[in-house]
Amino acid sequence: MPKVKIPRLRERLESLYREAGLNQRDAAVLSEIIIDAEAAGKPTHGLIRVAPQLKRLRDRAHRDGVWLIDEPGRALYDGRDGLGYLVAHAVAEKALAMLERSAVAIIGCRGATHTGQIGYFARKVALAGHLSLWFANCSPLAAPYGATEPVLGTNPVAAGLPHEPEPIVADLATTATTHGDCRVAMDAGGQIPEGTALDSSGKPTTDPEAALKGGCLLPFGGHKGYALAVVVQLLATALTGATAVPGSLSDYGLSVIAMRRDILVDSAAYDSITSELTGAIKAAKPAVAGQPPLLPGERSAANRTRSSHEGIEITRRLYAQIFGDQPD
Amino acid sequence: MPKVKIPRLRERLESLYREAGLNQRDAAVLSEIIIDAEAAGKPTHGLIRVAPQLKRLRDRAHRDGVWLIDEPGRALYDGRDGLGYLVAHAVAEKALAMLERSAVAIIGCRGATHTGQIGYFARKVALAGHLSLWFANCSPLAAPYGATEPVLGTNPVAAGLPHEPEPIVADLATTATTHGDCRVAMDAGGQIPEGTALDSSGKPTTDPEAALKGGCLLPFGGHKGYALAVVVQLLATALTGATAVPGSLSDYGLSVIAMRRDILVDSAAYDSITSELTGAIKAAKPAVAGQPPLLPGERSAANRTRSSHEGIEITRRLYAQIFGDQPD
């Protein structure tokens, strides 16, 4: 696969987004998020999203969001079904601004559409020294535990916790596989793992198309993942006023709980306890000799470092789509 | 197994706790929590805990906790390694009091020891109309993903969300099996499920004794449950000043994020969106005809109703331990 250096990719993406109607600031923000997904090794949230975003921009389906509540400690945003990545970015920026004045920020958002890799935003807040928890829903893809038709979204939960040299970032769909994973498998003509989806007749399937078209995804970890999925969907919708069971790319919800790490103890105590725990994890006897356990977010961080040196591998199809010609 | 009506059990437990040195109020609180665990069908947090609690009381190992911070919106408790059930109850009561004056309550706790079924407290807050998230850690029982020795606790996360007629309550250990499950399996001479634990040599085991003595439990849902477990342990310790990797029953941490359900939208909107989602879940086509999916907390609620009519089944051994004689 061709490799593209990040600065070249950034320049090209910014230009595409500007041509489609975004201002320079938003074009830069969106490019950065897309590139980070690729650099971190999460292509399901990367370049494959560019074409649909450009289409929505050209169709004038994107509007700027508005703040419905903007008070110390609490805020509510209406993303007005704009590009979800920009909506989530506005929420993250608001969290950072709010934490300059209060120790806690509760931010709800409706009209969010697809917010992508919410761990990106949790990491952003953590890099500024703050904790945050993120809860997002989407249109029905997943069956409740004990059911065979979709009601719940893939409903990711993300957490970002300050830690040196790299924040602790957990970012997980509450389903055993995701819409993005299925799309990638479909593109590659592959299968999804057993036990992750049902077809339209309610039978287990490993065919990603059968899962997405008339079938459903299953919760990860059985009833536990299901319980988390329900909690995530309620926090994303009932707390924010978003639609309980939304249609595709329409009024998804997002909620964020962010706080200063020194809200109860001083930062030095927070940092020291965090280092002690992560040190103990890294020192645990590994299952495979020489491969110590990874901290949540550590693999992505290593991928980012490699990508910044070596560039990002992209398929010929995506290359042609983005650069309009074939790689050398 | 003999059945005991709840009022008789309550009277007996209160009397035992009082004789061991608790005042009437704490004796009533502790009895209620123990009985609720049994009534809800979670015996791992019920009557088997009474004997060790009585021993700790008689050994004068229980002290009342103290509030280190008690301000609008944030509070920090030192449970001073007292009985964890009473420590968590004090935290829940504080959350309820704080939410009368502010829309959010962030409460940290150190010195918590074993807080038991934290979903009990999340449900208590939800019954008063508020949302809460609970994060608790304990001494090392679980291996990090990719390791073969314990560093993390079983690290439960619980959420309580107001809903009529019964709150939505999720309460899950981030391990595939728990210390309590292993103890119950050991008592019964049984096994734990495959894929939930390793023995002291790092090999998979279904022997609960091998898991607890020199072995380790595994995260639920692979790397996802592991990521949650790390987040839970950091929220419980780094945020509160509790020990990063505590010894047995020593300085466990607990943190709670509680908020009014009308913090961003009015209560009627919250209630209506919640009902719409839960209605859609209950209406989803079931995997087994006639058995609609259960909402998180629904099975426990049904168990409670049955127990209140029929009483609680207890083993002859526990009956003898608590009533000092054999059942009729």
Side-chain angles (χ1 to χ4, degrees):
Chain A
M1 283 201 289
K3 273 194 178 175
V4 181
K5 291 283 189 183
I6 287 176
R8 180 168 166 238
L9 188 55
R10 179 182 293 120
E11 192 182 348
R12 178 65 184 158
L13 289 179
E14 289 184 8
S15 159
L16 286 171
Y17 288 129
R18 276 198 316 270
E19 284 164 21
L22 278 190
N23 62 37
Q24 170 57 32
R25 185 183 174 282
D26 284 348
V29 164
L30 202 47
S31 302
E32 188 57 41
I33 300 171
I34 293 285
I35 289 170
D36 186 79
E38 291 287 341
K42 305 199 170 171
T44 52
H45 292 101
L47 291 165
I48 63 165
R49 306 284 177 174
V50 174
Q53 287 173 338
L54 292 174
K55 179 172 188 318
R56 293 187 71 203
L57 288 168
R58 293 198 191 102
D59 292 348
R60 302 193 170 278
H62 175 74
R63 297 183 294 174
D64 288 342
V66 291
W67 288 98
L68 306 175
I69 300 174
D70 188 1
E71 295 178 7
R74 69 185 191 112
L76 180 62
Y77 193 58
D78 183 353
R80 303 206 300 169
D81 288 351
L83 293 182
Y85 287 30
L86 291 177
V87 172
H89 185 265
V91 168
E93 293 277 294
K94 178 62 72 178
L96 293 176
M98 290 167 76
L99 292 177
E100 293 194 2
R101 291 182 304 155
S102 61
V104 184
I106 307 292
I107 309 176
C109 176
R110 54 178 82 149
T113 74
H114 174 67
T115 47
Q117 187 199 348
I118 51 175
Y120 171 86
F121 306 101
R123 177 170 178 265
K124 183 181 172 75
V125 174
L127 285 169
H130 309 304
L131 294 85
S132 64
L133 303 174
W134 292 66
F135 309 92
N137 77 304
C138 65
S139 53
L141 288 166
Y145 188 69
T148 61
E149 66 177 355
V151 175
L152 301 163
T154 50
N155 295 6
V157 55
L161 302 164
H163 176 257
E164 296 290 349
E166 180 60 32
I168 303 294
V169 179
D171 181 4
L172 50 125
T174 49
T175 42
T177 187
T178 64
H179 188 264
D181 289 336
C182 288
R183 294 301 296 267
V184 166
M186 277 165 72
D187 279 0
Q191 304 283 299
I192 52 174
E194 279 184 31
T196 64
L198 304 178
D199 64 20
S200 60
S201 68
K203 295 207 176 63
T205 185
T206 59
D207 174 2
E209 194 162 351
L212 291 189
K213 296 189 176 161
C216 58
L217 312 182
L218 293 172
F220 94 99
H223 67 95
K224 290 187 178 188
Y226 162 61
L228 287 175
V230 174
V231 169
V232 169
Q233 190 142 341
L234 287 173
L235 290 174
T237 62
L239 196 63
T240 68
T243 301
V245 182
S248 180
L249 294 181
S250 166
D251 199 22
Y252 297 174
L254 170 68
S255 59
V256 180
I257 300 166
M259 65 188 85
R260 291 187 194 153
R261 74 187 191 283
D262 66 352
I263 184 171
L264 298 173
V265 301
D266 63 45
S267 300
Y270 171 94
D271 293 343
S272 143
I273 294 166
T274 299
S275 294
E276 195 181 332
L277 179 59
T278 58
I281 290 170
K282 296 300 290 183
K285 191 179 174 194
V288 178
Q291 292 185 20
L294 292 171
L295 299 170
E298 190 174 356
R299 189 191 303 274
S300 293
N303 289 340
R304 273 189 204 96
T305 304
R306 195 178 54 247
S307 301
S308 73
H309 295 302
E310 299 177 8
I312 287 168
E313 275 192 344
I314 60 180
T315 62
R316 287 181 169 267
R317 195 175 60 77
L318 274 173
Y319 187 95
Q321 198 178 83
I322 286 162
F323 289 97
D325 57 7
Q326 290 301 314
D328 306 327
Chain B
M1 283 198 290
K3 274 193 177 177
V4 181
K5 291 282 189 182
I6 287 176
R8 181 170 165 238
L9 188 54
R10 178 182 293 119
E11 191 182 349
R12 179 63 185 161
L13 288 179
E14 288 185 7
S15 158
L16 286 172
Y17 287 129
R18 278 198 315 270
E19 284 164 21
L22 279 189
N23 62 38
Q24 169 57 30
R25 183 182 174 283
D26 284 349
V29 164
L30 202 48
S31 302
E32 188 57 39
I33 301 171
I34 293 284
I35 289 170
D36 186 78
E38 292 286 343
K42 305 198 170 173
T44 52
H45 292 101
L47 292 165
I48 64 166
R49 306 285 177 173
V50 173
Q53 286 174 338
L54 292 174
K55 180 173 187 320
R56 293 187 72 203
L57 288 168
R58 291 198 192 101
D59 291 348
R60 301 192 171 277
H62 175 74
R63 296 184 295 174
D64 288 341
V66 291
W67 289 97
L68 306 176
I69 300 174
D70 187 2
E71 295 177 7
R74 68 185 192 112
L76 179 62
Y77 193 57
D78 182 353
R80 302 205 301 171
D81 288 349
L83 292 182
Y85 287 29
L86 291 177
V87 172
H89 185 265
V91 168
E93 293 276 295
K94 178 62 72 177
L96 292 176
M98 290 167 77
L99 292 177
E100 293 193 2
R101 290 182 304 154
S102 61
V104 184
I106 307 292
I107 309 176
C109 176
R110 53 179 82 149
T113 74
H114 174 70
T115 46
Q117 187 198 350
I118 51 175
Y120 171 86
F121 306 102
R123 178 171 178 265
K124 182 181 172 75
V125 174
L127 285 169
H130 309 304
L131 294 86
S132 64
L133 302 174
W134 293 67
F135 309 93
N137 77 303
C138 65
S139 52
L141 288 166
Y145 188 68
T148 61
E149 67 177 354
V151 174
L152 301 163
T154 50
N155 294 7
V157 56
L161 301 165
H163 176 258
E164 297 289 348
E166 180 61 33
I168 303 294
V169 180
D171 181 4
L172 49 124
T174 49
T175 41
T177 186
T178 64
H179 188 264
D181 289 334
C182 288
R183 295 301 298 266
V184 167
M186 277 165 72
D187 279 359
Q191 304 284 298
I192 52 176
E194 279 183 30
T196 63
L198 305 178
D199 66 20
S200 59
S201 68
K203 295 207 176 65
T205 184
T206 59
D207 174 2
E209 194 161 352
L212 291 188
K213 296 190 176 159
C216 58
L217 311 182
L218 292 172
F220 94 100
H223 67 96
K224 290 188 178 188
Y226 161 61
L228 287 175
V230 174
V231 169
V232 169
Q233 190 141 343
L234 286 173
L235 290 174
T237 62
L239 195 63
T240 68
T243 301
V245 182
S248 180
L249 293 181
S250 165
D251 198 23
Y252 297 173
L254 171 67
S255 61
V256 181
I257 300 166
M259 64 188 85
R260 293 186 194 154
R261 74 186 189 284
D262 66 354
I263 184 171
L264 298 173
V265 301
D266 64 44
S267 300
Y270 171 95
D271 293 344
S272 143
I273 294 167
T274 299
S275 294
E276 194 181 332
L277 179 60
T278 58
I281 290 171
K282 296 301 290 183
K285 191 179 173 192
V288 178
Q291 293 185 20
L294 293 171
L295 298 170
E298 190 174 353
R299 189 190 304 274
S300 293
N303 288 340
R304 272 188 203 96
T305 303
R306 195 179 54 247
S307 299
S308 74
H309 295 301
E310 298 178 8
I312 287 168
E313 276 193 342
I314 60 180
T315 61
R316 286 183 171 267
R317 195 175 58 77
L318 274 173
Y319 187 96
Q321 199 179 82
I322 285 162
F323 289 98
D325 57 7
Q326 290 300 315
D328 305 327

